[in-house]
Amino acid sequence: MAKKISKIAVLTSGGDAPGMNAAIRAVVRSCSYYSVSCVGVYRGYQGLIEGDFEDLDARSVRNIINKGGTFLKSTRSMEFKTKEGRAKAYEKLKEKGVDALIVIGGDGTFTGGLYLSQEFDIPIIGIPATIDNDINGTDFTLGYDTALNTVVEAIDKIRDTASSHNRLFLIEVMGRDAGDIALNSGIGAGAEEILIPEEETGADRLIDSLKRSKKSGKTSSIIVVAEGEKSGKNIFELAEFIEENLDDYEIRVSVLGHIQRGGSPSCADRVLASKLGVGAVEGLLDGKRGAMVGIHHQKVVFVPLEEAIKGEAKIDKELRRVADITSV
Amino acid sequence: MAKKISKIAVLTSGGDAPGMNAAIRAVVRSCSYYSVSCVGVYRGYQGLIEGDFEDLDARSVRNIINKGGTFLKSTRSMEFKTKEGRAKAYEKLKEKGVDALIVIGGDGTFTGGLYLSQEFDIPIIGIPATIDNDINGTDFTLGYDTALNTVVEAIDKIRDTASSHNRLFLIEVMGRDAGDIALNSGIGAGAEEILIPEEETGADRLIDSLKRSKKSGKTSSIIVVAEGEKSGKNIFELAEFIEENLDDYEIRVSVLGHIQRGGSPSCADRVLASKLGVGAVEGLLDGKRGAMVGIHHQKVVFVPLEEAIKGEAKIDKELRRVADITSV
Amino acid sequence: MAKKISKIAVLTSGGDAPGMNAAIRAVVRSCSYYSVSCVGVYRGYQGLIEGDFEDLDARSVRNIINKGGTFLKSTRSMEFKTKEGRAKAYEKLKEKGVDALIVIGGDGTFTGGLYLSQEFDIPIIGIPATIDNDINGTDFTLGYDTALNTVVEAIDKIRDTASSHNRLFLIEVMGRDAGDIALNSGIGAGAEEILIPEEETGADRLIDSLKRSKKSGKTSSIIVVAEGEKSGKNIFELAEFIEENLDDYEIRVSVLGHIQRGGSPSCADRVLASKLGVGAVEGLLDGKRGAMVGIHHQKVVFVPLEEAIKGEAKIDKELRRVADITSV
Amino acid sequence: MAKKISKIAVLTSGGDAPGMNAAIRAVVRSCSYYSVSCVGVYRGYQGLIEGDFEDLDARSVRNIINKGGTFLKSTRSMEFKTKEGRAKAYEKLKEKGVDALIVIGGDGTFTGGLYLSQEFDIPIIGIPATIDNDINGTDFTLGYDTALNTVVEAIDKIRDTASSHNRLFLIEVMGRDAGDIALNSGIGAGAEEILIPEEETGADRLIDSLKRSKKSGKTSSIIVVAEGEKSGKNIFELAEFIEENLDDYEIRVSVLGHIQRGGSPSCADRVLASKLGVGAVEGLLDGKRGAMVGIHHQKVVFVPLEEAIKGEAKIDKELRRVADITSV
């Protein structure tokens, strides 16, 4: 029979995402609700190895639900990628009397958690938090909805200038492997064209599309480009390519960059974080191990960590169609 | 065989909601994509009766995706509630050569559309747009996600004052019959208690809850109250009741009011509007009649208008549980 | 010769205002810069009486410049209004070895500070922080610029609904004695009429103005009303009065309330807070006593506290003229 | 005696800035107030040459006070830089019966206006609108306050990530010749160091400063860098230089770019636009010619265009001191 869980540790790891603090809060409050002790681990897996712990109670997490970033901080740990590192981490957990661990992060965070849970007898649940929405087995990851709002608000500002000057703007948004941010923010910002990693649209299609736009009377244009798109050109080269192939376009480039990771989480992200945080604690108490708690059709679900980290392109074809139609 | 549709009219009616402009844009662009003419109707059903029309093409709707309100404007029409009024409206549609109608709004809007479609030979599709999220057959209505963000941003500001002064704030949010705004924004804003129309929580439970909060060390509190909650007291009376029954609390009331209906739509609302706008036009071309286009599990679905207007309380018990746990 | 100052205490008192945290930060950092110790006093004058102190250094105030409210918290103290209360406060300051005091707040805060400085040998400097901008001897108070932005953003949202529905909105903003918020936000929000405490405009002028508006083709209207305006009617009575005297207007009332006090400070408020915080410390080190540090023509100035609390109506006639012309 | 002015034209030129629409609105409304006709010129000086005019009345400018960009649009005109081009422009003004011209923009806009006013008999007044705040003879230019808020909000988001990861961020903000944006937003965002064009701080001072920061216990840092700073390195080279000269710093670069030009204007910018728009029309009616209307000590002032375009470095030494002290 599984050991009764009376102390849970929680950490954040990898790139930060809006909603991480809200998720920590929900974990801590759920522990309090179920009379389980809760330990915060600072600086992710590195802090785990170093035993950088702090006891948390319901009052420790007041007034953080609306804060971006993560108050537990996050780092990359090279040491945790070694078996020795993970062994040290496990020792620290034992010393502290921790029975189970909740890890909040993305792909890399879950991979680390999976190794730890396979090598040592420690129940682990992951909460998906990354603005890229590139985790398998959950409809949404924490931070994604907030990032979409940040991107469309930024493009709204740029559109003021674009339409004042009849200019073409190329705007780079995050997304190395997943085009979800680009596709959704592109539709939301009314972009004329959207380049994503999952498609071989490339530079030529872009030129055709811009020619059509011009013919149909458009005088300014926004092109949203995911970091990882596949034209083989970076965004500045893409801008040059367009200038060479199209007359009459004054082109500007804007790389939105790190503003996309920060900011106060949207209501949807705060609610999702609350659901997943509660779900993670209840899952552990209920005997779930080595799993991610995700959201599917608005219900909390559990998925093996192995499944969650399978990077599968899941481009939403319906959404691509909507993008094409509404940018007519 | 159904008559081929070559001209579609679109109107907005009832209370405005963020995302209405984005939906109109998607309807117009879809018409353009499928080479169907599009006619905008100003001032809802009243404008329909008066023939207040304007031809719209793809360029007519540029730079509106990010605007709150509705550029087609909206009014209540007493005349349209009479059979004579609806007959006049139908005549105007025939004169203008309109083959089908898309109505954007809530409950009342759909009821009007249902009558029209039953009395006359005109295909009608409704797009659900109301911040209250109280339409049957769709997971979300347009404007709801934006309203949630508006509410949590407002409460975030108020919390600054609440925690600076150790005060108790009662905050009234919209929702006459549905507690969705209150429940979600309450969780998102970290409210200590949430009163919704679907529950008989009442004032006494609130007093108990506040006493527990105080005992657990909370020094400031936010109570979110839906307009339609069932304590039998209005929010100012509720404040007095608390002051009489609890010592040591300095209480303030804030009625958020009309700011909840306005503002630039969130990315999620813009994407939803785009999906539903495209869906409405494709539905009509595909032979759908007297239906609402909604979203269910992220897919576009069609529901008979009769179904959509069935007001059914659908309180999300899971969410209520999350609220109770995270406010510990 | 004045005693050398080697320890400064800082507190916030009265209603909170955005920028208070930024001012505390600047005080603490300036102390650090000039190698003076700094002590934070929690809960204003009440905390002073109770000796609720915490030593602050440069790192204590990191990441607070952008936070609304005041992390030192603020309360009203009845006890401090008595000579005995102030005597206790002075004792606590002596015990703690504090040589000088910086008080951040408005009118009431300065009055308290003035008494203390007159009755006991303690140098005091006040930093004006109140959203109402009603302090004499400074062009701007902390929080005022932020509040103006909060108000115009709220009215922008309401205008979406107003212009979608051709409605008249009466919007109440803060300002019991001073019309600065109403006048500036009214111009900024494009209000058709503005009612302020300094003028006897009254309800009749409003009716005339609305009749003119209507004649000139306006279809929706925003009226900004300061809390303390002098029509003798509250805003709901004013709405009824208009409905009785004008046909065809659907009227709505919105009381913006406490959202006006909160929120992340604007850049201008953060810079002003930084200037005033530095100025306060440098003023004390320079021998200034019983004074307020203010801003005049973008320069830091010192004004006796007696002057600062003289409530003088200072309606900006030029601005009233601008309001009248631009609302044509 | 000067000819009576009965028709005024207004245009926007150069880079767009938030508040341009509010200024156009104030010009149009003032014309209406003084019963003067008003003509809008599209696309700046190029539209002037081409006679791209539209009559504007008080209702033409409704609901634009809160919009970024300029609805009259703006372009650069090579042709207007020639005497022939300006002669054509003058002809078009005469044909249209225009008696005076108001030009809204920056440096280049005023230079064009100055030539036109010297070569032809046409009264011209300029309204300073540029986010850079680099115009002589006015305390503030339109758009500057809004840009500051945009920048600090963006850096607030980045700071979430910086402090979650203990990182150093280099953030490039606008300002080729003027450091006003960098200096004010740097103070407002709590930057550890600020590099501006007016100072020879350079890369070495930066290294020293970062070493001190580290020693004093800072774990994350924001460096704000004006576009035109004088280290001789671009921001990416600067990042490399720091990495080579300091251990233990994970460095990220963010170029804020075009978001700084857009967005809904702040209340202060809307009020300033209203004052300057009214001032421009009243100035013309009052006989002012070849002048800029500016703001000095909160009063409207008039300055010869020759003065306005004198690019004088006016670094605020007091503010630099405040930056140094508060970043301790």
Side-chain angles (χ1 to χ4, degrees):
Chain A
M1 203 201 83
K3 201 190 147 225
K4 196 180 151 286
I5 288 174
S6 59
K7 189 178 278 188
I8 293 176
V10 58
L11 61 79
T12 50
S13 166
D16 64 317
M20 279 184 160
N21 279 325
I24 299 167
R25 173 181 178 273
V27 166
V28 174
R29 294 273 168 100
S30 301
C31 285
S32 178
Y33 185 86
Y34 289 108
S35 303
V36 170
S37 299
C38 189
V39 177
V41 182
Y42 284 93
R43 297 179 297 116
Y45 289 123
Q46 190 57 37
L48 198 60
I49 290 171
E50 299 172 15
D52 194 357
F53 297 145
E54 183 178 341
D55 294 334
L56 300 175
D57 68 17
R59 295 290 75 71
S60 314
V61 290
R62 76 172 96 191
N63 291 337
I64 66 164
I65 196 170
N66 60 333
K67 302 292 189 294
T70 157
F71 86 96
L72 289 179
K73 294 176 186 285
S74 178
T75 42
R76 293 203 193 127
S77 172
M78 283 302 145
E79 200 177 350
F80 193 75
K81 294 194 171 176
T82 66
K83 194 156 180 190
E84 293 69 32
R86 292 191 294 272
K88 278 194 211 168
Y90 180 71
E91 278 316 302
K92 291 290 180 185
L93 286 169
K94 290 295 99 178
E95 277 174 31
K96 183 73 184 173
V98 170
D99 304 311
L101 178 63
I102 292 171
V103 299
I104 305 173
D107 216 314
T109 305
F110 290 174
T111 305
L114 182 60
Y115 280 122
L116 192 68
S117 77
Q118 288 169 339
E119 293 164 359
F120 301 97
D121 176 32
I122 178 101
I124 292 184
I125 285 195
I127 296 178
T130 159
I131 63 165
D132 288 344
N133 204 34
D134 58 354
I135 301 293
N136 216 33
T138 186
D139 293 346
F140 303 109
T141 56
L142 286 182
Y144 171 60
D145 183 66
T146 303
L148 290 182
N149 284 331
T150 300
V151 171
V152 297
E153 282 167 26
I155 303 183
D156 284 352
K157 288 190 211 290
I158 293 173
R159 186 174 280 281
D160 286 342
T161 293
S163 67
S164 296
H165 289 276
N166 296 345
R167 273 184 190 153
L168 175 68
F169 269 90
L170 293 182
I171 299 175
E172 185 183 290
V173 302
M174 286 191 170
R176 283 226 179 94
D177 307 301
D180 293 44
I181 290 181
L183 195 49
N184 279 273
S185 71
I187 291 175
E192 274 66 33
E193 191 54 78
I194 303 167
L195 301 188
I196 56 177
E198 294 90 342
E199 289 178 339
E200 299 287 341
T201 33
D204 292 321
R205 178 182 142 148
L206 186 56
I207 300 293
D208 290 346
S209 163
L210 287 171
K211 283 182 181 162
R212 267 199 315 277
S213 277
K214 193 120 206 187
K215 217 176 281 176
S216 80
K218 292 202 181 186
T219 52
S220 63
S221 283
I222 300 286
I223 315 294
V224 171
V225 181
E227 274 175 303
E229 65 82 34
K230 294 286 184 291
S231 72
K233 303 184 199 299
N234 73 32
I235 196 164
F236 297 97
E237 293 164 353
L238 211 52
E240 274 178 45
F241 181 77
I242 297 170
E243 278 188 331
E244 284 160 13
N245 283 277
L246 282 175
D247 297 336
D248 260 7
Y249 263 113
E250 210 184 335
I251 304 185
R252 292 288 182 278
V253 168
S254 183
V255 176
L256 293 188
H258 284 87
I259 57 167
Q260 296 168 82
R261 290 205 180 285
S264 182
S266 68
C267 185
D269 268 331
R270 298 182 195 189
V271 172
L272 179 59
S274 301
K275 282 179 170 179
L276 297 182
V278 170
V281 171
E282 294 186 336
L284 283 172
L285 297 182
D286 205 42
K288 300 277 189 311
R289 271 106 186 83
M292 175 188 77
V293 57
I295 199 83
H296 185 56
H297 292 168
Q298 298 162 62
K299 299 279 173 223
V300 164
V301 293
F302 292 88
V303 180
L305 283 174
E306 289 93 331
E307 288 292 310
I309 60 184
K310 263 190 207 155
E312 279 170 29
K314 41 160 190 176
I315 160 95
D316 182 338
K317 296 224 167 114
E318 213 22 52
L319 214 51
R320 162 47 81 189
R321 240 170 49 76
V322 167
D324 291 342
I325 294 175
T326 55
S327 63
V328 154
Chain B
M1 203 201 85
K3 200 190 148 227
K4 197 180 152 284
I5 289 174
S6 58
K7 189 178 280 188
I8 293 175
V10 58
L11 61 80
T12 50
S13 165
D16 65 317
M20 280 184 160
N21 278 325
I24 299 167
R25 174 181 178 271
V27 166
V28 175
R29 293 273 168 100
S30 301
C31 285
S32 178
Y33 185 86
Y34 288 109
S35 302
V36 170
S37 298
C38 190
V39 177
V41 183
Y42 284 93
R43 296 178 301 115
Y45 290 123
Q46 190 58 37
L48 198 59
I49 290 172
E50 299 173 14
D52 194 356
F53 297 146
E54 183 178 340
D55 293 335
L56 301 175
D57 67 17
R59 294 292 74 72
S60 315
V61 290
R62 76 173 94 190
N63 292 338
I64 67 164
I65 195 169
N66 60 334
K67 302 291 189 295
T70 159
F71 86 96
L72 289 179
K73 294 178 187 283
S74 178
T75 41
R76 293 204 192 126
S77 172
M78 282 303 144
E79 201 178 348
F80 193 76
K81 294 195 173 176
T82 66
K83 197 160 177 185
E84 293 70 33
R86 291 192 295 272
K88 279 194 210 169
Y90 179 71
E91 277 317 301
K92 291 291 180 186
L93 286 170
K94 289 296 99 180
E95 277 175 30
K96 184 72 183 171
V98 171
D99 304 311
L101 177 64
I102 292 172
V103 298
I104 305 174
D107 216 312
T109 305
F110 291 174
T111 305
L114 182 59
Y115 280 120
L116 192 68
S117 76
Q118 289 171 336
E119 294 164 359
F120 302 97
D121 177 31
I122 177 100
I124 291 183
I125 285 196
I127 295 178
T130 158
I131 63 166
D132 288 344
N133 204 34
D134 58 352
I135 300 292
N136 215 34
T138 186
D139 292 348
F140 303 109
T141 57
L142 287 181
Y144 171 59
D145 183 67
T146 303
L148 290 182
N149 284 331
T150 300
V151 171
V152 296
E153 282 167 26
I155 302 182
D156 284 352
K157 288 191 211 289
I158 292 173
R159 185 173 283 280
D160 287 342
T161 293
S163 66
S164 296
H165 288 276
N166 296 345
R167 272 183 191 155
L168 174 68
F169 269 90
L170 293 182
I171 299 176
E172 186 183 290
V173 301
M174 285 190 171
R176 284 225 179 95
D177 307 302
D180 293 44
I181 290 181
L183 195 50
N184 280 272
S185 71
I187 291 174
E192 275 66 33
E193 191 55 79
I194 303 167
L195 302 187
I196 55 177
E198 294 91 343
E199 290 178 339
E200 299 287 340
T201 33
D204 293 322
R205 178 181 144 153
L206 185 56
I207 299 293
D208 290 345
S209 163
L210 288 170
K211 283 182 180 163
R212 269 198 314 278
S213 278
K214 192 118 207 187
K215 220 178 278 176
S216 80
K218 293 203 181 184
T219 53
S220 63
S221 284
I222 300 286
I223 314 294
V224 171
V225 181
E227 274 176 303
E229 66 80 36
K230 294 286 184 291
S231 72
K233 302 184 201 298
N234 73 32
I235 197 166
F236 297 97
E237 293 164 353
L238 211 53
E240 272 177 46
F241 182 77
I242 297 170
E243 278 188 332
E244 284 161 15
N245 284 276
L246 283 175
D247 296 335
D248 263 5
Y249 264 113
E250 210 184 334
I251 304 184
R252 292 288 183 278
V253 168
S254 184
V255 176
L256 293 188
H258 285 87
I259 58 168
Q260 297 169 80
R261 290 206 180 285
S264 182
S266 68
C267 185
D269 268 332
R270 299 182 194 188
V271 172
L272 180 57
S274 301
K275 282 179 170 179
L276 297 183
V278 170
V281 171
E282 294 187 337
L284 282 172
L285 297 181
D286 205 42
K288 300 276 188 313
R289 272 105 186 82
M292 176 188 78
V293 57
I295 199 84
H296 184 55
H297 295 166
Q298 299 163 61
K299 301 278 173 223
V300 164
V301 293
F302 292 89
V303 179
L305 284 174
E306 289 94 330
E307 287 292 310
I309 59 185
K310 263 189 208 156
E312 278 171 26
K314 41 161 191 176
I315 161 96
D316 182 337
K317 295 224 168 115
E318 216 19 55
L319 213 52
R320 161 48 82 190
R321 240 172 48 77
V322 167
D324 291 342
I325 294 174
T326 56
S327 63
V328 153
Chain C
M1 203 201 84
K3 200 187 149 234
K4 196 181 151 287
I5 289 174
S6 59
K7 189 179 280 188
I8 292 175
V10 59
L11 63 79
T12 50
S13 165
D16 64 318
M20 280 185 159
N21 279 325
I24 298 167
R25 174 182 178 271
V27 166
V28 174
R29 293 274 168 100
S30 301
C31 285
S32 178
Y33 185 87
Y34 288 109
S35 304
V36 170
S37 299
C38 189
V39 177
V41 182
Y42 284 93
R43 294 177 302 117
Y45 290 124
Q46 190 59 34
L48 199 59
I49 290 171
E50 300 173 13
D52 194 355
F53 296 146
E54 183 177 340
D55 294 334
L56 301 175
D57 68 17
R59 294 291 74 72
S60 316
V61 290
R62 78 172 94 191
N63 291 338
I64 67 164
I65 195 169
N66 60 334
K67 303 291 189 295
T70 159
F71 86 96
L72 289 179
K73 294 176 185 284
S74 178
T75 42
R76 292 201 194 129
S77 172
M78 283 302 143
E79 201 178 348
F80 193 75
K81 295 196 172 175
T82 66
K83 197 160 177 184
E84 293 70 33
R86 292 191 295 271
K88 279 194 211 169
Y90 179 71
E91 277 316 303
K92 291 290 180 185
L93 286 170
K94 289 295 99 182
E95 277 175 30
K96 184 74 183 171
V98 170
D99 303 312
L101 178 64
I102 292 171
V103 298
I104 305 173
D107 216 312
T109 306
F110 291 175
T111 306
L114 182 59
Y115 281 120
L116 192 69
S117 77
Q118 288 170 338
E119 294 164 359
F120 302 97
D121 176 31
I122 178 99
I124 292 182
I125 284 196
I127 296 179
T130 158
I131 63 166
D132 288 345
N133 204 33
D134 58 352
I135 301 293
N136 216 34
T138 186
D139 292 347
F140 303 109
T141 56
L142 287 181
Y144 171 61
D145 183 66
T146 303
L148 290 182
N149 285 331
T150 300
V151 171
V152 296
E153 282 166 27
I155 302 183
D156 284 351
K157 289 191 211 288
I158 292 173
R159 185 174 283 281
D160 287 341
T161 293
S163 67
S164 296
H165 289 276
N166 296 345
R167 273 184 190 154
L168 174 68
F169 269 90
L170 293 181
I171 298 176
E172 186 183 290
V173 302
M174 285 190 171
R176 283 224 180 95
D177 307 302
D180 293 43
I181 289 181
L183 195 49
N184 279 273
S185 70
I187 291 174
E192 274 67 32
E193 190 55 80
I194 303 167
L195 301 188
I196 56 177
E198 294 91 343
E199 290 178 340
E200 299 286 339
T201 33
D204 293 321
R205 178 182 143 151
L206 185 56
I207 300 293
D208 290 346
S209 164
L210 287 171
K211 284 182 181 162
R212 269 199 314 277
S213 278
K214 193 119 207 188
K215 221 178 279 177
S216 80
K218 293 203 182 184
T219 53
S220 63
S221 283
I222 300 286
I223 315 294
V224 171
V225 180
E227 273 176 304
E229 66 81 37
K230 293 288 184 290
S231 71
K233 302 184 200 299
N234 72 34
I235 197 165
F236 297 97
E237 293 163 353
L238 211 52
E240 273 177 45
F241 182 77
I242 297 171
E243 279 188 332
E244 285 161 14
N245 284 276
L246 282 176
D247 296 336
D248 262 6
Y249 263 114
E250 210 185 334
I251 304 184
R252 292 288 182 278
V253 168
S254 183
V255 176
L256 293 188
H258 284 88
I259 58 168
Q260 296 169 81
R261 290 206 180 284
S264 183
S266 68
C267 185
D269 267 332
R270 298 182 195 190
V271 172
L272 179 58
S274 300
K275 283 178 170 178
L276 296 182
V278 171
V281 171
E282 293 186 337
L284 282 172
L285 298 181
D286 205 42
K288 299 278 187 313
R289 271 106 187 82
M292 176 189 76
V293 58
I295 199 83
H296 185 54
H297 294 167
Q298 299 163 61
K299 300 279 172 223
V300 163
V301 294
F302 292 89
V303 179
L305 283 174
E306 290 93 331
E307 287 293 311
I309 60 184
K310 263 189 207 156
E312 278 171 28
K314 40 159 191 177
I315 160 96
D316 183 337
K317 295 226 169 113
E318 216 19 54
L319 214 52
R320 162 47 83 189
R321 240 172 49 77
V322 167
D324 291 343
I325 293 174
T326 55
S327 63
V328 153
Chain D
M1 204 200 83
K3 199 189 150 230
K4 197 181 151 285
I5 288 175
S6 59
K7 189 179 279 189
I8 292 176
V10 57
L11 61 79
T12 50
S13 165
D16 64 317
M20 280 184 160
N21 278 325
I24 298 167
R25 174 181 178 272
V27 166
V28 174
R29 293 273 168 100
S30 301
C31 285
S32 178
Y33 186 86
Y34 288 109
S35 303
V36 170
S37 298
C38 189
V39 177
V41 182
Y42 284 93
R43 295 177 300 116
Y45 290 124
Q46 190 58 36
L48 199 59
I49 290 172
E50 299 172 15
D52 194 357
F53 297 145
E54 183 178 341
D55 293 335
L56 300 175
D57 68 17
R59 294 291 74 73
S60 316
V61 290
R62 77 173 95 189
N63 291 338
I64 66 164
I65 195 170
N66 60 334
K67 303 292 190 294
T70 158
F71 86 96
L72 289 179
K73 295 178 185 282
S74 178
T75 40
R76 290 198 197 135
S77 171
M78 283 302 144
E79 200 178 349
F80 194 76
K81 293 194 172 177
T82 67
K83 196 160 178 186
E84 292 70 31
R86 293 191 293 272
K88 279 194 211 168
Y90 180 71
E91 278 316 303
K92 291 290 180 186
L93 286 169
K94 289 296 97 179
E95 277 173 31
K96 183 74 184 170
V98 170
D99 304 311
L101 179 64
I102 292 172
V103 298
I104 305 173
D107 216 312
T109 305
F110 290 175
T111 306
L114 182 59
Y115 280 121
L116 192 69
S117 76
Q118 289 170 338
E119 293 164 0
F120 301 96
D121 177 32
I122 178 101
I124 291 183
I125 284 196
I127 296 178
T130 158
I131 63 166
D132 288 344
N133 204 33
D134 59 353
I135 301 293
N136 216 33
T138 186
D139 293 346
F140 303 109
T141 56
L142 287 181
Y144 171 60
D145 183 66
T146 304
L148 291 181
N149 284 331
T150 300
V151 171
V152 297
E153 282 167 26
I155 303 183
D156 285 352
K157 289 190 212 289
I158 293 173
R159 186 174 281 281
D160 286 342
T161 293
S163 68
S164 296
H165 289 276
N166 296 345
R167 274 185 190 153
L168 175 67
F169 270 89
L170 293 182
I171 299 175
E172 186 183 289
V173 302
M174 286 190 170
R176 283 227 178 94
D177 308 301
D180 292 45
I181 289 181
L183 195 49
N184 280 272
S185 70
I187 291 174
E192 275 66 33
E193 191 54 80
I194 304 167
L195 301 187
I196 56 177
E198 294 91 341
E199 289 179 339
E200 298 287 339
T201 33
D204 293 321
R205 177 181 143 153
L206 185 56
I207 301 293
D208 290 346
S209 163
L210 287 171
K211 283 181 181 164
R212 268 200 315 278
S213 277
K214 193 118 206 188
K215 218 177 280 176
S216 81
K218 292 202 180 185
T219 53
S220 63
S221 283
I222 300 286
I223 315 294
V224 171
V225 181
E227 274 176 303
E229 67 82 32
K230 293 287 184 291
S231 71
K233 303 184 199 300
N234 73 32
I235 196 165
F236 297 98
E237 293 164 353
L238 211 53
E240 273 177 44
F241 182 78
I242 297 171
E243 278 188 331
E244 284 161 14
N245 284 276
L246 282 175
D247 297 335
D248 260 7
Y249 263 112
E250 210 184 335
I251 304 185
R252 292 288 182 278
V253 168
S254 183
V255 176
L256 293 188
H258 284 88
I259 57 166
Q260 296 168 81
R261 291 206 179 283
S264 181
S266 68
C267 185
D269 268 331
R270 299 182 195 189
V271 172
L272 180 59
S274 301
K275 282 179 169 180
L276 296 182
V278 170
V281 171
E282 293 187 337
L284 282 172
L285 297 182
D286 205 42
K288 300 278 188 313
R289 272 104 185 82
M292 176 188 76
V293 58
I295 199 83
H296 184 56
H297 293 168
Q298 299 162 63
K299 299 277 174 225
V300 164
V301 293
F302 293 88
V303 180
L305 283 174
E306 289 93 331
E307 287 293 310
I309 60 184
K310 264 190 208 155
E312 278 170 29
K314 42 162 190 174
I315 160 98
D316 183 336
K317 296 225 167 115
E318 213 24 50
L319 213 51
R320 162 49 80 190
R321 240 171 50 75
V322 167
D324 291 342
I325 293 174
T326 55
S327 63
V328 154

